[in-house]
Amino acid sequence: MKSKYLLITVIFSALFFALGFFINGPSENSEVLADTTAVKSTTEEPVITTNQTSEKSKTNYAKLLKGKFILAGSDYAGYEFIDAKTISWTNELFPMDPDTMSIKWIDESTFITKFSKKTNKDCAPVIGVLKVVSYNDGKLVLKDYWTGWNDRKDELSTFHQSYE
């Protein structure tokens, strides 16, 4: 009698295991193991593209980015690339009082911003690290790397060039 219940339990266990596998599908790891010729991309960032360069050459955004870029979904907030060493940030609430920052390019697509105005003489200046993810037809996507205290994720922000 015990062997009958044991046999039924084993059969049902195998059946439920098989159903769970077919309903949920194979895991991502089993796909990679099954097809070793497929190479998956592990990059988190989109490919940098512009309408002025080919995929093989790197774009020097320090020379390319000029003018005002408005944050998507806002009326005034955004960056203005004044020259290769100066950038300003306009806040949505105070559009008549933009914050001026110095800008230092680390490479062709990554730059650091540092606020020019001291808010506290005992504290280090506020800095930001940003990377141009894409720039195409006046649409600029920047990745803002979190440099502050606490845990916060890096953010992608989309800007549209203002031609005013």
Side-chain angles (χ1 to χ4, degrees), residues 111-154:
F111 60 94
I112 297 173
T113 60
K114 179 177 73 173
F115 280 84
S116 301
K117 190 188 310 181
K118 283 187 179 181
T119 56
N120 184 339
K121 68 178 182 170
D122 297 328
C123 294
V126 177
I127 64 160
V129 178
L130 297 111
K131 181 174 185 162
V132 177
V133 176
S134 66
Y135 176 61
N136 193 357
D137 296 327
K139 180 181 175 184
L140 175 65
V141 179
L142 294 177
K143 182 173 186 175
D144 187 356
Y145 292 95
W146 176 245
T147 58
W149 299 107
N150 302 324
D151 290 333
R152 196 170 135 195
K153 293 186 177 190
D154 301 335

Side-chain angles (χ1 to χ4, degrees), residues 8-22:
I8 290 173
T9 304
V10 169
I11 291 173
F12 276 119
S13 297
L15 180 65
F16 286 125
F17 175 76
L19 284 175
F21 182 77
F22 287 114

